[in-house]
Amino acid sequence: MRSQLDACLSAVNEILLGKEQQVRLALACLLARGHLLIEDLPGMGKTTLSQALAKVLGLSFQRIQFTSDLLPGDILGTSVFDKDTGQFVFHQGPIFAELVLADEINRATPKSQSALLEAMEEGQVTIEGATRALPDPFFVIATQNPVSQGGTFALPESQLDRFLMRLSLGYPAKAAEKALLMGDARRNLLPRLAPILDHAQLALLQDEVPKVRVSDALVDYVLRLVEATRTQPQFAWGLSPRASLALLAAARAWALLEGREYVIPEDVQAVLPSVVGHRLRERADPAGHSGGTLVQWLLREVAAI
Amino acid sequence: MNKPQSIPRVSLTWLLIAQLLVIIPHLGHLPLWVVGLWLGCAAWRVQIYRMRARFPNAWLKGALMLAAGIGVFVSRGSLVGLDAGVVLLIAAFVLKLVEVRTRRDALVLIFLGFFTVVTAYLFDDSMLSAIFSLLPVSALLAAMIGLQQSTLATRPWATAKLAGSLLLQALPLMLLLFLFFPRMGPLWSLPGANAKGVTGLSDSMAPADIAELSQSSELAFRASFEGQPPPRNQLYWRALTLDRFDGRRWSQSGFARLPLQPSWRKQGEPINYQIVMQPSARPWLFSLDVAQTSLEGTRMMSDFRLQRKQPVDRSLLYNLTSWPQALLEPAASTETLRRALQLPDGGDPRSRAWARQLKQQYPQDEQLVQAVLRNFNRQPFHYTLRPKAVGVNSIDDFLFETRSGFCAHYAGSMTFVLRAAGIPARVVAGYQGGELNPSGNYLQVRQFDAHAWVEYWQAGKGWLRVDPTFEVAPERIELGLEEAVAGENSFLEKSPFSPLRYRQLAWLNQFRLAWDQVNYDWQRWVLGYQGAQQLELFQRWFGKVDGRWLALCLVGGGAIVLALIALFLFKPWQHQRDQQQRVFRRFERLLARHALVRQPAEGPRDFARRAAQALPGQARQIQQFARAFEAQRYGGQGQSLAILEQHLRALRRALPWRLT
């Protein structure tokens, strides 16, 4: 099973050059059954990453491009009158896929955003009185442009909290970019990717995650981290219990990817920036995006042992 | 200037205020130039803060220091001794201000300030000065707090409030320590500054000395009796006897300094009372005849005076029991009597002739004494604080020419006549009377109550007290000096503002008496709360205890309190269980010797990787230990410390030996 995971990782890394860490985090996020938010400038490979992941994990893929005039019906689906049968027939929206890429989620209005986020939380959608289950597995990879860009509706904290991780891809390293420029267009390589895992295997792997051992000492470390965010003056607010659960789940998935049956502090530290970065605000700047410096403070100051 | 180290504005403000407050109680004895020095230094330091001036360089500092030293030497004649020492301390305290650059300097200055506050008690231990000293202490605390504040803080009041509340919080501890802290004897003794230049009785008496004393309204001592005080005309407070006469002065002979216990017999009812003495710089204590005291280091000398080993250089509280009707030395030694008959070889022929004449006239000693007293009463003697000048034969001139004077003249001349007539006699110096404070039921005896009277000796009856002054001016004995000199307005003529001169103003008098009582209580209950009083209090509270048991309790109690605080702070029970962590700490210490220190947030694996890179030779052992630790601590595998210890030993063997 390890080998399959490694194969998945290397396959995606073939497509997305020089982003091993982010790819691994994204995979850990999916293994932990969390949704992923990728925040970056346009053209950094967000879509490629999600498509590649869908491909290797053997998931059906749908992409929703969020715009300011997108309506909830465009995401969930609508009932259309069929004149042959004389009845309304429900047409599934793009959300009924196993991996949904919600591109530029912060360009849509809050109303449409919350239609997606509700589905993410519940695993089902209710349309015109009928509750319809979403497929299992169900992942959302949302991308958003940095908040500072024009024409965006920032996601509120409560909705950011729905995402297990927030990643930023960043510019590729020079060597990786050179390889990119020299080689084929990445999008052309995608169709050639073969699925490595099937649904059963993926479910099996996902069931492995909660079994990864978490010792007393490690929980103490997580508690120290959480405690620090709640007591130190520079934090506008502390991490919620949901956040500490998310941290532990992500650390377990990371340990599984590392091939270990137990979590060590380094696992927690590896996932910490992406798991808590979007959940923290600096007291001096509660509206801003200063989670990163706070995470660095946690990684530097909180005793690991 | 190194910015993070510099003195915050609030702290500097409070430091300046504190310095002023520390210096104020010393103003009474400081040379004026020190005040000038402070003003200069304060202005300089403020200019430095405003970046208008620079810190002094080493040469300038040296010169200032030297100048201050010379200044102290010139104004005090010495660099050592209490007075000069304190002036030097304050000069240093003031000069330090201009070289305060860093927080550390400021701390030195603050601690020096606390010490200087304490030195003020050497000069004045009254209640007012004790209360005042809370001000400089608060200001120093505020300066200390200000040091920890940001340089941006600009509100000095908030800091002072915090300092005040800290001081308030310390109050219960202060009371506890005051009550329970054992009073140890001083490790060294300083010549008392309190007693320097105080007015009071001395061991020799020329009439002019007592005239000077009678101009002083300073307090000599206070006495409180169990029950009603004796009547005023019985209040003869003995200090010492003067048994040597050289023709001008009466003085204490060397014999009186010998520790000879005189014989005496208790008679009549005893009186119990307590005296709180002001510092006198003399070793003798005041008492009514004949007194016993439990005060340590005190004994009765051959002339019934009580004498202490050291001079009384700070307020002293002692309890006494007196037998006023006791027989004093009914069988005196010949040596004592010989001393009591000593006269100068020549001089005062008229007095001697008169004495011889009296002797023939009255063969009985007691009749002779009565005759002398009668003479003072019948002849036109005049009680005055402004006696006329006398010549070489001072006794003759006084008895037969001027006939004006006060107690010292009367006592001296009467003793002279009695001795010339062959009756052993001596002058007793002390105080007579005292002012009753009705609200507190105690007596205040002031310097102007100083008095001299006569004692003569009769076989079988011992020493008998006679007071020739009573024959001349009974109001001096019955009512006090003020009444005795009412006619000539000489009472406290040199201190026109003394409240004692305005006793007829009822409210002022009442206030004066009330205030005096507060001070008296302060002396009795606060300053007088020393070894014996402390033990008495403990015994009242805890039953019979002795000093050693008490000391054990104090030390034990302190240790228990400290141990509880330590337990609360360190919470050892929270560390107990973590054996793995302890082994890991040893691993860390081992690597720390090779300059590999784990950052607090560094996990074991990251640390091991870093260590392995730094010590490639021992990388295997390091990794083995780290893996084993990780597996046990996080993997829950093979909970065996022995394995960890084994890996650790292997690593220790592999590492080159190195001192920390």
Side-chain angles (χ1 to χ4, degrees):
Chain A
M1 202 125 44
R2 277 285 331 274
S3 54
Q4 288 169 327
L5 281 176
D6 284 344
C8 292
L9 284 174
S10 50
V12 178
N13 283 331
E14 290 279 304
I15 306 289
L16 200 68
L17 294 173
K19 293 288 167 209
E20 284 84 1
Q21 184 77 1
Q22 283 86 344
V23 170
R24 191 177 274 261
L25 278 169
L27 191 57
C29 181
L30 300 192
L31 284 178
R33 296 179 194 267
H35 304 290
L36 181 65
L37 178 65
I38 303 178
E39 179 178 293
D40 221 323
L41 295 167
M44 304 294 276
K46 298 185 293 265
T47 317
T48 315
L49 172 66
S50 21
Q51 279 181 335
L53 272 176
K55 212 59 177 188
V56 295
L57 297 178
L59 302 173
S60 61
F61 178 79
Q62 278 288 355
R63 175 189 169 136
I64 313 170
Q65 180 63 49
F66 277 51
T67 55
S68 51
D69 53 358
L70 186 80
L71 293 175
D74 299 334
I75 303 168
L76 306 177
T78 44
S79 294
V80 178
F81 184 72
D82 186 339
K83 70 174 191 284
D84 296 339
T85 59
Q87 281 185 335
F88 280 95
V89 177
F90 181 69
H91 278 243
Q92 290 187 337
I95 194 142
F96 288 88
E98 285 155 342
L99 200 158
V100 178
L101 173 64
D103 215 0
E104 298 185 303
I105 188 170
N106 59 344
R107 283 184 64 195
T109 53
K111 188 177 178 181
S112 313
Q113 287 174 0
S114 52
L116 172 76
L117 295 163
E118 260 172 59
M120 281 162 54
E121 190 63 16
E122 310 289 329
Q124 59 186 22
V125 289
T126 304
I127 304 155
E128 293 155 15
T131 301
R132 292 165 213 271
L134 291 172
D136 182 49
F138 173 69
F139 297 124
V140 174
I141 296 181
T143 71
Q144 70 172 346
N145 300 332
V147 176
S148 52
Q149 293 210 328
T152 57
F153 296 92
L155 289 179
E157 285 82 11
S158 59
Q159 298 194 341
L160 279 177
D161 203 33
R162 306 268 166 90
F163 292 98
L164 178 62
M165 289 188 190
R166 184 184 69 181
L167 287 181
S168 166
L169 290 175
Y171 297 111
K174 204 171 182 180
E177 192 153 12
K178 187 171 184 188
L180 178 78
L181 296 176
M182 302 287 283
D184 283 332
R186 296 292 118 182
R187 293 276 169 93
N188 298 342
L189 294 178
L190 272 175
R192 286 189 230 154
L193 271 181
I196 297 170
L197 292 175
D198 59 21
H199 281 39
Q201 284 169 324
L202 182 62
L204 211 61
L205 278 171
Q206 284 179 331
D207 290 343
E208 281 295 307
V209 171
K211 292 180 194 160
V212 173
R213 185 188 158 88
V214 168
S215 71
D216 245 22
L218 188 102
V219 172
D220 284 346
Y221 176 48
V222 171
L223 287 177
R224 278 199 295 279
L225 286 169
V226 174
E227 184 69 20
T229 66
R230 292 174 190 169
T231 54
Q232 292 300 312
Q234 66 267 42
F235 292 88
W237 56 77
L239 289 174
S240 63
R242 178 168 16 179
S244 43
L245 281 171
L247 183 59
L248 217 48
R252 279 180 154 129
W254 186 266
L256 186 72
L257 279 177
E258 295 278 315
R260 229 181 305 102
E261 297 96 64
Y262 53 86
V263 184
I264 60 171
E266 282 83 349
D267 298 332
V268 178
Q269 291 174 350
V271 298
L272 190 73
S274 39
V275 176
V276 305
H278 59 293
R279 302 176 207 251
L280 290 176
R281 290 281 181 281
E282 203 162 3
R283 170 155 296 175
D285 178 26
H289 258 55
S290 48
T293 52
L294 292 175
V295 171
Q296 288 313 311
W297 184 88
L298 287 173
L299 287 177
R300 199 173 58 243
E301 300 294 337
V302 178
I305 295 178
Chain B
M1 198 155 59
N2 191 0
K3 203 66 188 161
Q5 282 284 304
S6 66
I7 317 288
R9 176 197 178 106
V10 170
S11 187
L12 187 66
T13 311
W14 280 112
L15 209 51
L16 288 171
I17 294 173
Q19 253 192 343
L20 180 66
L21 290 171
V22 167
I23 293 172
I24 281 177
H26 288 280
L27 281 182
H29 63 90
L30 273 187
L32 210 59
W33 61 264
V34 177
V35 180
L37 187 68
W38 179 75
L39 286 175
C41 288
W44 192 349
R45 189 61 186 82
V46 170
Q47 290 299 87
I48 291 173
Y49 181 81
R50 299 175 64 209
M51 297 190 176
R52 306 274 164 86
R54 279 182 204 193
F55 284 104
N57 58 25
W59 285 104
L60 190 53
K61 280 195 276 190
L64 274 173
M65 216 167 63
L66 199 66
I70 292 172
V72 173
F73 192 81
V74 167
S75 53
R76 285 295 176 266
S78 153
L79 284 179
V80 291
L82 186 70
D83 201 20
V86 170
V87 176
L88 197 63
L89 174 71
I90 293 177
F93 178 55
V94 164
L95 280 180
K96 179 77 191 165
L97 189 63
V98 289
E99 62 155 6
V100 167
R101 283 166 194 267
T102 62
R103 292 188 178 191
R104 189 186 145 280
D105 295 332
L107 279 177
V108 168
L109 193 61
I110 288 169
F111 293 138
L112 204 59
F114 281 123
F115 185 73
T116 317
V117 169
V118 176
T119 58
Y121 293 139
L122 294 172
F123 297 89
D124 184 6
D125 55 9
S126 73
M127 185 176 62
L128 276 186
S129 72
I131 292 174
F132 178 85
S133 63
L134 290 178
L135 286 179
V137 167
S138 312
L140 284 168
L141 271 181
M144 210 144 120
I145 294 165
L147 269 189
Q148 314 302 327
Q149 288 175 333
S150 139
T151 39
L152 301 175
T154 51
R155 294 172 51 215
W157 272 120
T159 314
K161 257 192 213 160
L162 183 60
S165 75
L166 281 178
L167 212 58
L168 272 184
Q169 284 166 28
L171 210 62
L173 190 66
M174 199 171 89
L175 278 179
L176 267 183
L177 285 178
F178 171 74
L179 283 178
F180 292 106
F181 197 78
R183 303 300 200 270
M184 287 165 288
L187 297 176
W188 67 90
S189 101
L190 285 170
N194 266 341
K196 253 212 172 148
V198 295
T199 47
L201 290 175
S202 69
D203 53 5
S204 74
M205 176 187 84
D209 300 342
I210 291 208
E212 192 191 324
L213 270 189
S214 63
Q215 288 300 336
S216 162
S217 63
E218 256 178 61
L219 194 68
F221 60 94
R222 299 185 181 92
S224 48
F225 290 86
E226 275 180 19
Q228 275 306 108
R232 194 185 161 92
N233 57 16
Q234 299 295 314
L235 293 171
Y236 281 87
W237 305 98
R238 176 190 291 261
L240 73 164
T241 57
L242 308 170
D243 55 356
R244 237 182 73 82
F245 186 56
D246 64 356
R248 279 216 76 81
R249 306 178 74 87
W250 288 90
S251 57
Q252 200 178 26
S253 67
F255 181 69
R257 298 195 180 99
L258 294 177
L260 277 178
Q261 173 88 20
S263 66
W264 59 289
R265 203 157 61 229
K266 288 175 187 170
Q267 272 186 0
E269 286 298 304
I271 310 172
N272 292 315
Y273 55 105
Q274 186 179 57
I275 285 184
V276 178
M277 228 180 115
Q278 295 298 110
S280 67
R282 307 286 179 186
W284 52 77
L285 309 181
F286 309 118
S287 62
L288 297 173
D289 288 342
V290 174
Q292 280 183 334
T293 177
S294 55
L295 187 70
E296 262 177 60
T298 309
R299 65 182 165 204
M300 187 187 282
M301 305 301 274
S302 62
D303 59 350
F304 296 95
R305 73 179 193 275
L306 294 176
Q307 177 142 340
R308 209 163 155 255
K309 272 188 200 148
Q310 312 92 20
V312 181
D313 48 16
R314 56 204 62 205
S315 304
L316 178 72
L317 178 147
Y318 52 97
N319 289 301
L320 293 159
T321 308
S322 285
W323 284 265
Q325 280 131 43
L327 276 186
L328 286 73
E329 225 171 2
S333 70
T334 48
E335 174 62 20
T336 310
L337 296 181
R338 203 179 61 73
R339 297 254 158 210
L341 287 168
Q342 174 270 341
L343 281 179
D345 289 342
D348 300 304
R350 290 174 71 186
S351 308
R352 289 178 199 250
W354 184 52
R356 278 193 297 276
Q357 182 199 338
L358 283 171
K359 182 72 189 169
Q360 284 170 356
Q361 215 170 337
Y362 304 101
Q364 292 286 321
D365 284 354
E366 279 172 29
Q367 287 174 342
L368 195 150
V369 170
Q370 290 308 318
V372 176
L373 291 176
R374 226 172 15 250
N375 178 58
F376 283 125
N377 195 344
R378 303 251 169 99
Q379 299 296 323
F381 280 96
H382 176 51
Y383 187 88
T384 175
L385 288 176
R386 300 170 185 151
K388 293 174 191 144
V390 289
V392 179
N393 291 323
S394 57
I395 305 285
D396 278 5
D397 287 358
F398 170 69
L399 280 178
F400 305 109
E401 304 291 336
T402 64
R403 287 180 175 148
S404 68
F406 45 88
C407 56
H409 297 98
Y410 296 107
S413 56
M414 181 168 177
T415 308
F416 184 92
V417 172
L418 290 184
R419 284 184 174 187
I423 304 175
R426 61 194 182 193
V427 175
V428 187
Y431 296 87
Q432 202 283 324
E435 184 188 10
L436 186 73
N437 189 328
S439 54
N441 195 31
Y442 65 89
L443 287 167
Q444 300 167 44
V445 180
R446 297 180 181 277
Q447 293 299 350
F448 60 65
D449 291 316
H451 191 55
W453 60 95
V454 179
E455 255 180 359
Y456 70 100
W457 186 82
Q458 289 289 285
K461 294 182 181 169
W463 293 98
L464 299 168
R465 181 176 69 215
V466 285
D467 190 351
T469 312
F470 181 74
E471 302 299 325
V472 181
E475 61 277 9
R476 163 68 184 88
I477 310 302
E478 304 283 357
L479 300 167
L481 181 69
E482 189 180 5
E483 297 299 320
V485 295
E488 63 181 25
N489 270 332
S490 60
F491 179 66
L492 296 181
E493 60 185 346
K494 287 176 192 157
S495 32
F497 296 114
S498 165
L500 286 166
R501 292 192 62 169
Y502 303 101
R503 277 192 264 204
Q504 64 279 15
L505 288 176
W507 64 270
L508 186 65
N509 203 33
Q510 234 157 27
F511 175 77
R512 182 179 65 86
L513 290 174
W515 175 241
D516 188 76
Q517 191 187 345
V518 170
N519 273 311
Y520 181 44
D521 289 342
W522 169 260
Q523 285 203 320
R524 269 211 298 183
W525 302 118
V526 180
L527 299 180
Y529 184 75
Q530 297 293 336
Q533 274 74 16
Q534 196 178 26
L535 202 64
E536 198 179 306
L537 182 81
F538 291 157
Q539 280 172 349
R540 200 180 312 153
W541 285 0
F542 310 115
K544 199 88 187 126
V545 289
D546 68 344
R548 196 180 309 160
W549 187 84
L550 200 69
L552 264 178
C553 273
L554 272 175
V555 172
I560 287 173
V561 169
L562 283 182
L564 283 178
I565 293 173
L567 275 180
F568 177 74
L569 288 180
F570 293 112
K571 298 190 176 64
W573 58 88
Q574 292 189 353
H575 303 281
Q576 241 359 304
R577 62 192 165 87
D578 215 337
Q579 300 282 346
Q580 292 167 341
Q581 195 164 357
R582 226 183 266 172
V583 179
F584 191 77
R585 295 266 179 259
R586 275 161 58 199
F587 170 70
E588 282 183 86
R589 277 200 294 276
L590 191 62
L591 288 178
R593 283 188 211 159
H594 297 268
L596 283 161
V597 179
R598 190 178 68 88
Q599 299 305 307
E602 203 171 13
R605 179 172 286 211
D606 288 345
F607 179 54
R609 188 180 303 133
R610 192 160 63 87
Q613 277 168 5
L615 299 167
Q618 290 75 29
R620 192 173 57 84
Q621 286 87 348
I622 291 172
Q623 289 293 3
Q624 270 175 347
F625 176 85
R627 289 294 144 125
F629 173 78
E630 201 181 271
Q632 290 198 10
R633 189 167 177 79
Y634 299 108
Q637 301 157 356
Q639 297 290 343
S640 157
L641 282 178
I643 294 173
L644 286 183
E645 308 245 5
Q646 203 179 319
H647 285 304
L648 195 61
R649 273 198 299 278
L651 174 61
R652 183 172 291 134
R653 275 197 299 275
L655 281 170
W657 188 83
R658 188 185 283 181
L659 270 178
T660 313

